[in-house]
Amino acid sequence: MKIDKPNDGLLSVTTGPIQGSRKVYATREGRPDIRVPIREIVLTDPDEPPVRVYDPSGPYTDADMAIDLSKGLQLVREPWIAARGYGAVEARPVKPEDNGHVPADKLVAPCPAERVVRRAAPGQMVTQYEFARAGIITEEMIYVAHRENLCREAMLAGAEAKIADGESFGASIPPFITPDFVRQEVARGRAIIPANINHPELEPMAIGRNFLVKVNANIGNSAVVSTAADEVEKLVWAIRWGADTVMDLSTGRNIHNIRSWIIRNAPVPIGTVPIYQALEKVGGDPVKLDWEVFKDTLIEQAEQGVDYFTIHAGVRLPYVPLTAKRVTGIVSRGGSIMARWCLAHHKESFLYERFDEICDIMRAYDVSFSLGDGLRPGSIADANDAAQFAELETLGELTKVAWGKGCQVMIEGPGHVPMHKIKVNMDKQLRECGEAPFYTLGPLTTDIAPGYDHVTSGIGAAIIGWFGTAMLCYVTPKEHLGLPNRDDVKTGVITYKIAAHAADLAKGHPAAQMRDDALSRARFDFRWEDQFNLSLDPDTARAYHDETLPKDAHKVAHFCSMCGPKFCSMKITQDLRAEVAAMSPEAQEQLAGMRVKSQEFLESGGKLYVDQP
Amino acid sequence: MKIDKPNDGLLSVTTGPIQGSRKVYATREGRPDIRVPIREIVLTDPDEPPVRVYDPSGPYTDADMAIDLSKGLQLVREPWIAARGYGAVEARPVKPEDNGHVPADKLVAPCPAERVVRRAAPGQMVTQYEFARAGIITEEMIYVAHRENLCREAMLAGAEAKIADGESFGASIPPFITPDFVRQEVARGRAIIPANINHPELEPMAIGRNFLVKVNANIGNSAVVSTAADEVEKLVWAIRWGADTVMDLSTGRNIHNIRSWIIRNAPVPIGTVPIYQALEKVGGDPVKLDWEVFKDTLIEQAEQGVDYFTIHAGVRLPYVPLTAKRVTGIVSRGGSIMARWCLAHHKESFLYERFDEICDIMRAYDVSFSLGDGLRPGSIADANDAAQFAELETLGELTKVAWGKGCQVMIEGPGHVPMHKIKVNMDKQLRECGEAPFYTLGPLTTDIAPGYDHVTSGIGAAIIGWFGTAMLCYVTPKEHLGLPNRDDVKTGVITYKIAAHAADLAKGHPAAQMRDDALSRARFDFRWEDQFNLSLDPDTARAYHDETLPKDAHKVAHFCSMCGPKFCSMKITQDLRAEVAAMSPEAQEQLAGMRVKSQEFLESGGKLYVDQP
């Protein structure tokens, strides 16, 4: 049952399982502390095994879990982090500017859930990258391996399995993910596990081209609208439908305190763009930014538990003139802020010049880098231009610096890019950035459809995901027009889950097709309930069906309203199969005689799938 | 102003221009009878020329045109057809079974608009293919050339033009389309102009890989729901948003009379699947079908003016067993009907065996073939299998037969196909079918998103359109679940216009990017009204913007609710440009000194676009 959000303010969010699903946990042998959540879809046909799917929705979809936002989520990682022996540090005191000097009567109270604040000492191993390089398999790596593997175990056990036959463009997804495979991928910088040591509520996940393609959803109040309550609910709502990470892009007042509610209640990695808050602290004028206020903001957010920071250190002064003749100039907020600063001061970006120091701060908490694409194209006309690619080369240079400092790194990309210019983005990113995970917005494949940019970008996202992008940043129908509401967030997430899954299929992910096959069998058998429940959005699938055929009896009907009973091809095909089954042996033989042509096909390699033994 | 459909039954449909647009007609020099409709979007910036876009919406969006459905549309083609001297034939009398033996009190009256019924004599040239082969340029070819060219003329005249830089995979789109180029394309079978001589209301259009990618929308009542009124309005509604052709997939009663309303009021080519009506005539049992009832139906519909017929002649008896082990069997209605017939009779398909006769009938009216993909895959598991490709090879064989008979031909394809299996479909189709236009459903790139199959298929449609598919058959959000309503039709059409346009951009269509550029300039200049009006769906773009910023003042605001005024990157960039412009020459020079890196980029080929002189 879907339980809608009761309308009583901040402390209430959408809870309850997704229709037709239940939450189960898989525990590693000998490691009862590593409990990986799975969403299990139970089917009506007793011959069909339950379908297990990757589940980033956290405890909110667990019917047995009581949610109290003021206490925050269970501390899944606490024992692992505690055992690593980081000293508790005195938390940086909250300053009035952290919440935008909001007057007392407008102040949103911080989340009362208190957590110890940790920070690694210099030289003390702390990042997943450092552990991986040292050959140490962390609990997070074990968790991730188990999580990524769920479907594959089922496949290897199942009789319906197919050998995947994708084109992975050089990615090498193994048949089975081991903890040591995760370690190797992290060690060579090809995957990250964004996991701040101050975010013990996190259910760890990996971003890398040899794992499932992930989806990010953006939330955040803007100066114009939105409240704290809306943002926490948007987080819960976004992960309910499958967002793997969430970026809090809030600006304006109460930003620090709203963030405390978000992180304490986030089972997924939370990303931010610290320059936004830094800008608020200097009254909104980019020219007034400086290293001190930025550094202070990094520490503030790292102590709160943010898992990755977008750092626009690739927007260098010499690149600013390259944007002058663009049709849409600079469309990244962070990029435009830094370009303005560079030009006003006629100085190289302090993010670039202080990059070493930024690394040292982020390393101490294991905050991952998301190296920002401040010069991404905002229109088809500006795609793949000199400004964009100059920045990408700098991001490649910075990737190596960050790795040298022990940090985890991913790289932001695209924007507006027509289909034929997508691949060069991926290829160049892999080359320049040493295969560090690519994390792209869209790309939007045309500019002409505001109101439908989830679609223009879903096309590009599926393609670039196929080519190797590790995480796709969603775009909602409101892109370019306004702030997304609850429905927009859901539409954006589902569209991007489609893109990510289409990419997994095309890459030849060993287990991706299992869900397609289960749903298609349900469809062909007219198991309507199973078809709804296996879909990315059971509520919408059911509602659409019920618009024309609302009765329960129609849930077992061997047709739908699209073609009606007489013209249902699947009904006819079922009759046809029954007919063949009922034929005399002679008749079947005669039919077999007609199959010469068919046999030729099969023998000439027409059979694309090989059944598992 | 958008004028909504008044709720008074059959005789009223949606009329009035699309918001911000006006209908203009371009007349060929010396040929005042060839008036090509264009939609012109007038912009608020006096320095911006109006943007002219391809317009399939017909007279319904012409503010000066009175619409009377009972009289039908203007007879655009009448003088051209009349001059070719076909004899009027006595129309086949309407039989009770044509309307499914509907009782008199339930009979929908036919459209009262009467038209002379024509049929070419044996040996008399009639199809566009025959004229093209004979070196004759028809009025339809001139019309099409002018229609396809609109944007290119503007481009060649405009200062903002770019040299297109797409990857066309072997298509060869010329910088300028001449009537003789159209003739050549038709003559070699690479394009068709579906144009029944009994459809004088038609505004001719071309389908071929060297023309703009087209979109088809399906309408049609099913046995379960829908009325005649709904279907006519769906036609008008679908073409309003950009559908280039419409297929009437009606089944059930009143089918003949509803079709008369549709065709008499259709400015776009109408396609049908005659086997559906034939099946109704034999009471819904595929086994009772025979050549006589099918032939009679072909003549009935050809006389009414249907422009293309889907003929599932590739579903041969020997291929039926190839579908037995499929996950979803046969999912084409026509395909399953014919498979059932073949198996029940243990005979080769009468469509295949009588193909010559079918050609002779269709040629006499210039009804184009849409060779049906009765064995298209209905699931990812069944994609590109032996059944699908066996049928495609037969379609290639039939293409040559139809050409030999003087007929125009296109080929239906895909269904459910993951991204990495799309290209082989296109390549094989081009090879087997001699570059006859490909017309594909989707393809859907995953099975797991019922309720969002416009998106799963929009991804595949954009990709296969890029590879060379000439027309994309839309999929609505209700696919697999129910009959699409008005909103679903619009969502499906807009999604497919996005896919088609993304494909045109990626193919390097010489003028496709003009609209993107105009919209992006409007966006960067905060010309909100222009941004809305240039979009594929101005109503939705405006409504989404107004949700958060409804006031008129916000239509000139230099921000939107997404980022708010302080964080608007485009606002910051504009300030930045002003700053550069205001700098002293020395300061500009100093900045130029920082550009060494930038210059390297430009010199090393970083500049992707070349300005027009």
Side-chain angles (χ1 to χ4, degrees):
Chain A
M1 281 298 286
K2 184 188 144 212
I3 299 165
D4 270 325
K5 180 197 169 196
N7 192 18
D8 57 1
L10 180 65
L11 299 187
S12 159
V13 293
T14 304
T15 55
I18 287 175
Q19 199 177 104
S21 289
R22 63 186 177 203
K23 171 95 70 181
V24 297
Y25 295 89
T27 304
R28 288 288 293 182
E29 259 187 53
R31 289 303 296 258
D33 58 322
I34 300 182
R35 292 175 76 228
V36 177
I38 307 159
R39 181 153 72 87
E40 193 170 76
I41 305 165
V42 179
L43 305 181
T44 59
D45 182 339
D47 292 338
E48 288 275 345
V51 174
R52 294 181 154 201
V53 300
Y54 191 100
D55 182 7
S57 64
Y60 302 99
T61 51
D62 184 341
D64 300 328
M65 198 73 83
I67 298 292
D68 180 347
L69 298 190
S70 63
K71 291 187 179 158
L73 299 178
Q74 277 196 308
L75 306 184
V76 175
R77 295 174 64 215
E78 179 62 28
W80 314 336
I81 301 166
R84 289 170 203 159
Y86 308 115
V89 295
E90 199 177 333
R92 170 191 169 284
V94 178
K95 304 173 190 172
E97 64 262 35
D98 297 352
N99 283 303
H101 295 285
V102 62
D105 63 325
K106 299 253 169 82
L107 185 71
V108 171
C111 180
E114 299 230 336
R115 304 286 184 253
V116 60
V117 176
R118 294 189 171 97
R119 178 186 175 115
Q124 188 179 17
M125 267 201 292
V126 59
T127 71
Q128 299 290 324
Y129 181 76
E130 289 170 317
F131 286 118
R133 301 284 291 182
I136 296 166
I137 296 173
T138 61
E139 284 84 357
E140 286 84 353
M141 295 170 198
I142 300 171
Y143 192 105
V144 160
H146 209 41
R147 195 171 197 183
E148 292 272 341
N149 246 331
L150 294 174
C151 298
R152 263 171 268 194
E153 285 163 346
M155 180 196 70
L156 294 170
E160 292 292 329
K162 310 282 185 195
I163 302 294
D165 61 351
E167 163 56 63
S168 73
F169 298 103
S172 39
I173 308 169
F176 199 78
I177 303 263
T178 62
D180 195 60
F181 178 77
V182 177
R183 186 198 62 76
Q184 288 172 42
E185 290 292 295
V186 172
R188 62 175 287 177
R190 199 153 61 185
I192 65 170
I193 300 176
N196 187 324
I197 55 170
N198 291 314
H199 190 191
E201 300 88 353
L202 179 76
E203 297 175 351
M205 55 78 73
I207 302 167
R209 69 195 282 232
N210 290 325
F211 299 102
L212 288 160
V213 175
K214 303 303 190 299
V215 169
N216 173 73
N218 295 328
I219 60 170
N221 67 318
S222 88
V224 179
V225 284
S226 196
T227 68
D230 290 344
E231 297 315 314
V232 177
E233 168 61 9
K234 273 187 202 161
L235 158 73
V236 172
W237 187 241
I239 63 177
R240 179 179 186 84
W241 299 112
D244 294 287
T245 77
V246 168
M247 289 196 79
D248 172 21
L249 304 183
S250 293
T251 57
R253 292 172 169 187
N254 286 309
I255 189 173
H256 178 96
N257 288 359
I258 292 174
R259 193 186 304 121
S260 74
W261 285 98
I262 290 173
I263 296 172
R264 297 285 73 84
N265 291 289
V268 299
I270 297 297
T272 62
V273 187
I275 201 88
Y276 295 174
Q277 190 179 10
L279 186 66
E280 291 288 351
K281 290 181 183 176
V282 298
D285 181 356
V287 181
K288 293 191 183 139
L289 282 168
D290 62 28
W291 166 243
E292 289 308 320
V293 70
F294 187 75
K295 174 182 167 184
D296 179 58
T297 306
L298 292 183
I299 293 168
E300 171 192 352
Q301 297 195 9
E303 288 189 354
Q304 280 190 301
V306 173
D307 300 288
Y308 62 91
F309 288 155
T310 294
I311 305 285
H312 294 99
V315 181
R316 296 189 53 195
L317 178 58
Y319 304 157
V320 177
L322 292 176
T323 68
K325 290 196 170 171
R326 279 181 157 187
V327 169
T328 46
I330 299 174
V331 295
S332 147
R333 292 193 231 173
S336 62
I337 292 165
M338 288 314 301
R340 189 89 205 287
W341 187 93
C342 291
L343 205 61
H345 294 280
H346 280 238
K347 272 194 196 160
E348 186 52 274
S349 158
F350 62 83
L351 299 180
Y352 182 78
E353 299 216 313
R354 302 278 194 159
F355 193 73
D356 274 15
E357 287 167 81
I358 295 172
C359 291
D360 291 337
I361 294 167
M362 289 172 64
R363 189 206 72 88
Y365 308 91
D366 198 6
V367 179
S368 297
F369 274 97
S370 184
L371 286 174
D373 57 336
L375 303 180
R376 70 166 173 268
S379 55
I380 293 296
D382 297 342
N384 294 13
D385 72 352
Q388 184 193 342
F389 282 164
E391 181 185 35
L392 182 55
E393 294 183 14
T394 297
L395 299 186
E397 168 199 330
L398 298 174
T399 299
K400 280 122 206 170
V401 174
W403 281 342
K405 289 280 191 175
C407 295
Q408 301 194 87
V409 188
M410 64 179 168
I411 311 294
E412 296 183 8
H416 293 236
V417 182
M419 286 190 287
H420 65 294
K421 293 188 179 175
I422 291 177
K423 189 140 196 307
V424 69
N425 275 276
M426 189 72 230
D427 293 346
K428 186 172 175 73
Q429 189 273 342
L430 290 171
R431 195 169 60 244
E432 300 286 345
C433 304
E435 292 191 84
F438 208 20
Y439 164 35
T440 66
L441 180 82
L444 289 76
T445 54
T446 165
D447 306 338
I448 68 169
Y452 299 81
D453 278 326
H454 58 306
V455 177
T456 66
S457 69
I459 293 166
I463 295 172
I464 206 165
W466 176 22
F467 292 162
T469 287
M471 185 159 76
L472 307 170
C473 182
Y474 88 165
V475 171
T476 80
K478 290 282 168 60
E479 183 76 14
H480 300 115
L481 297 170
L483 203 62
N485 63 22
R486 180 181 170 87
D487 288 341
D488 298 320
V489 166
K490 180 174 174 181
T491 301
V493 170
I494 298 283
T495 302
Y496 272 67
K497 293 299 282 186
I498 290 169
H501 186 74
D504 285 333
L505 283 176
K507 285 168 80 175
H509 186 282
Q513 200 181 311
M514 292 186 64
R515 188 171 179 180
D516 296 79
D517 292 349
L519 190 144
S520 290
R521 287 193 300 271
R523 182 172 280 156
F524 192 67
D525 292 346
F526 298 100
R527 285 182 276 117
W528 288 100
E529 293 288 346
D530 291 348
Q531 188 186 160
F532 302 151
N533 294 340
L534 284 162
S535 70
L536 284 177
D537 178 2
D539 299 342
T540 297
R542 176 186 301 267
Y544 282 1
H545 175 270
D546 288 1
E547 257 180 46
T548 37
L549 292 173
K551 292 182 196 152
D552 272 353
H554 289 134
K555 299 294 190 309
V556 293
H558 279 204
F559 62 92
C560 74
S561 65
M562 198 166 177
C563 307
K566 259 192 316 202
F567 281 88
C568 179
S569 60
M570 298 201 303
K571 175 78 174 66
I572 298 172
T573 306
Q574 288 195 343
D575 294 349
L576 190 146
R577 282 191 185 174
E579 209 164 311
V580 175
M583 278 164 64
S584 69
E586 295 74 32
Q588 291 201 11
E589 213 162 286
Q590 188 193 339
L591 191 66
M594 307 295 294
R595 291 178 61 179
V596 178
K597 177 95 181 153
S598 321
Q599 287 305 327
E600 280 170 13
F601 256 86
L602 292 172
E603 281 153 20
S604 70
K607 196 172 185 202
L608 295 167
Y609 293 107
V610 179
D611 291 337
Q612 288 274 108
Chain B
M1 281 301 285
K2 182 191 143 210
I3 300 168
D4 270 322
K5 179 199 169 196
N7 192 20
D8 58 358
L10 181 64
L11 298 186
S12 158
V13 293
T14 304
T15 56
I18 288 175
Q19 198 178 102
S21 288
R22 62 186 179 204
K23 171 94 72 182
V24 298
Y25 295 89
T27 304
R28 290 285 298 181
E29 257 187 54
R31 289 301 298 258
D33 58 323
I34 300 182
R35 292 176 76 228
V36 177
I38 307 160
R39 180 154 72 87
E40 192 169 75
I41 305 164
V42 180
L43 306 181
T44 59
D45 182 338
D47 292 338
E48 289 274 344
V51 174
R52 293 181 154 200
V53 299
Y54 191 100
D55 183 6
S57 64
Y60 302 100
T61 50
D62 184 341
D64 300 330
M65 197 73 82
I67 298 292
D68 180 347
L69 297 190
S70 63
K71 292 188 177 156
L73 299 178
Q74 277 196 309
L75 305 185
V76 176
R77 294 174 64 215
E78 179 60 29
W80 316 335
I81 302 166
R84 291 171 202 159
Y86 309 115
V89 294
E90 198 177 332
R92 171 189 169 283
V94 178
K95 304 174 192 171
E97 63 263 35
D98 297 354
N99 285 303
H101 296 284
V102 63
D105 62 328
K106 298 255 170 82
L107 185 72
V108 171
C111 180
E114 300 231 336
R115 306 283 185 255
V116 60
V117 175
R118 295 187 170 98
R119 179 184 174 116
Q124 187 179 18
M125 264 202 291
V126 57
T127 72
Q128 298 291 324
Y129 181 77
E130 289 170 318
F131 286 118
R133 301 283 289 184
I136 296 165
I137 296 172
T138 62
E139 284 83 357
E140 286 83 353
M141 296 171 198
I142 299 171
Y143 191 105
V144 161
H146 209 42
R147 196 172 196 183
E148 291 274 341
N149 246 330
L150 292 174
C151 297
R152 263 170 270 197
E153 284 164 345
M155 182 196 70
L156 294 170
E160 294 292 332
K162 311 282 186 196
I163 302 294
D165 61 352
E167 162 57 60
S168 74
F169 298 103
S172 39
I173 308 168
F176 199 77
I177 303 266
T178 61
D180 194 60
F181 176 78
V182 177
R183 187 198 60 74
Q184 289 172 41
E185 290 291 296
V186 173
R188 63 174 287 177
R190 197 153 60 185
I192 66 170
I193 301 175
N196 186 324
I197 55 172
N198 291 314
H199 190 191
E201 302 87 351
L202 179 76
E203 298 175 350
M205 53 78 72
I207 301 167
R209 68 195 281 233
N210 291 323
F211 299 103
L212 288 160
V213 176
K214 302 304 190 296
V215 169
N216 173 72
N218 295 328
I219 60 170
N221 68 319
S222 90
V224 179
V225 284
S226 197
T227 68
D230 290 344
E231 297 316 314
V232 177
E233 167 62 9
K234 272 186 202 165
L235 158 74
V236 173
W237 187 241
I239 62 177
R240 178 180 186 84
W241 299 112
D244 295 286
T245 77
V246 168
M247 289 197 79
D248 173 20
L249 304 183
S250 294
T251 58
R253 293 173 165 187
N254 284 309
I255 189 170
H256 179 97
N257 287 0
I258 293 175
R259 193 185 305 121
S260 74
W261 285 97
I262 291 173
I263 296 172
R264 295 287 73 82
N265 290 288
V268 298
I270 298 295
T272 62
V273 187
I275 200 88
Y276 295 174
Q277 190 179 10
L279 185 66
E280 291 287 350
K281 290 181 183 175
V282 296
D285 182 356
V287 180
K288 295 192 181 140
L289 283 167
D290 62 27
W291 167 242
E292 289 308 321
V293 70
F294 186 76
K295 174 183 170 183
D296 179 58
T297 307
L298 291 182
I299 293 167
E300 171 192 352
Q301 297 195 11
E303 288 188 353
Q304 280 190 301
V306 173
D307 300 288
Y308 61 91
F309 287 156
T310 294
I311 304 286
H312 293 100
V315 180
R316 297 189 53 195
L317 178 60
Y319 305 158
V320 177
L322 292 177
T323 67
K325 292 199 171 170
R326 279 180 156 188
V327 169
T328 47
I330 299 174
V331 295
S332 147
R333 293 192 231 173
S336 61
I337 291 164
M338 289 313 300
R340 189 89 205 287
W341 187 93
C342 291
L343 205 62
H345 294 279
H346 280 238
K347 272 193 197 163
E348 186 53 276
S349 157
F350 60 85
L351 299 179
Y352 182 78
E353 299 216 313
R354 303 279 192 158
F355 193 74
D356 274 16
E357 288 167 79
I358 296 172
C359 291
D360 290 338
I361 294 166
M362 289 173 63
R363 189 206 72 88
Y365 309 91
D366 198 7
V367 179
S368 297
F369 274 96
S370 184
L371 286 174
D373 56 338
L375 303 181
R376 70 168 172 269
S379 55
I380 294 296
D382 296 343
N384 295 15
D385 73 352
Q388 184 193 343
F389 283 164
E391 181 185 34
L392 181 56
E393 292 182 14
T394 298
L395 299 185
E397 168 200 332
L398 297 174
T399 299
K400 280 122 208 169
V401 174
W403 283 342
K405 289 282 190 174
C407 295
Q408 302 194 86
V409 188
M410 64 181 167
I411 311 294
E412 297 184 8
H416 293 234
V417 182
M419 285 191 285
H420 64 296
K421 293 187 178 174
I422 292 177
K423 190 142 195 305
V424 70
N425 274 278
M426 189 71 230
D427 293 345
K428 186 173 176 71
Q429 189 273 343
L430 290 170
R431 195 170 62 243
E432 301 287 343
C433 304
E435 293 190 80
F438 208 20
Y439 164 35
T440 66
L441 179 82
L444 290 75
T445 54
T446 165
D447 305 339
I448 67 168
Y452 299 81
D453 278 327
H454 57 305
V455 176
T456 66
S457 68
I459 293 166
I463 294 172
I464 205 163
W466 176 22
F467 293 162
T469 288
M471 184 158 76
L472 307 170
C473 181
Y474 89 164
V475 172
T476 79
K478 289 280 167 61
E479 183 75 12
H480 299 116
L481 297 169
L483 204 62
N485 62 22
R486 181 180 169 86
D487 287 341
D488 298 321
V489 167
K490 179 173 174 182
T491 301
V493 171
I494 298 281
T495 300
Y496 272 67
K497 293 299 282 185
I498 290 169
H501 186 74
D504 286 333
L505 284 176
K507 285 169 79 175
H509 188 282
Q513 199 181 312
M514 291 185 66
R515 187 171 179 180
D516 296 80
D517 292 350
L519 190 145
S520 290
R521 286 194 300 272
R523 181 173 279 158
F524 192 67
D525 291 347
F526 297 100
R527 283 182 278 118
W528 288 98
E529 292 289 346
D530 291 348
Q531 189 186 158
F532 302 151
N533 294 339
L534 284 162
S535 70
L536 284 177
D537 177 3
D539 298 344
T540 296
R542 178 186 299 267
Y544 281 1
H545 176 268
D546 288 2
E547 258 180 45
T548 36
L549 293 174
K551 295 184 194 154
D552 273 353
H554 289 136
K555 299 294 190 309
V556 292
H558 280 205
F559 62 92
C560 75
S561 66
M562 198 167 176
C563 307
K566 258 191 320 202
F567 281 88
C568 179
S569 61
M570 298 201 301
K571 175 77 174 67
I572 297 173
T573 307
Q574 288 196 341
D575 293 350
L576 191 147
R577 281 191 185 174
E579 209 165 310
V580 176
M583 277 162 64
S584 68
E586 295 74 30
Q588 291 200 14
E589 212 162 289
Q590 189 193 339
L591 191 65
M594 307 294 295
R595 292 177 59 178
V596 178
K597 177 96 181 152
S598 322
Q599 287 303 330
E600 279 170 14
F601 257 85
L602 291 173
E603 282 153 21
S604 69
K607 198 173 186 198
L608 295 166
Y609 292 108
V610 180
D611 291 336
Q612 289 274 108

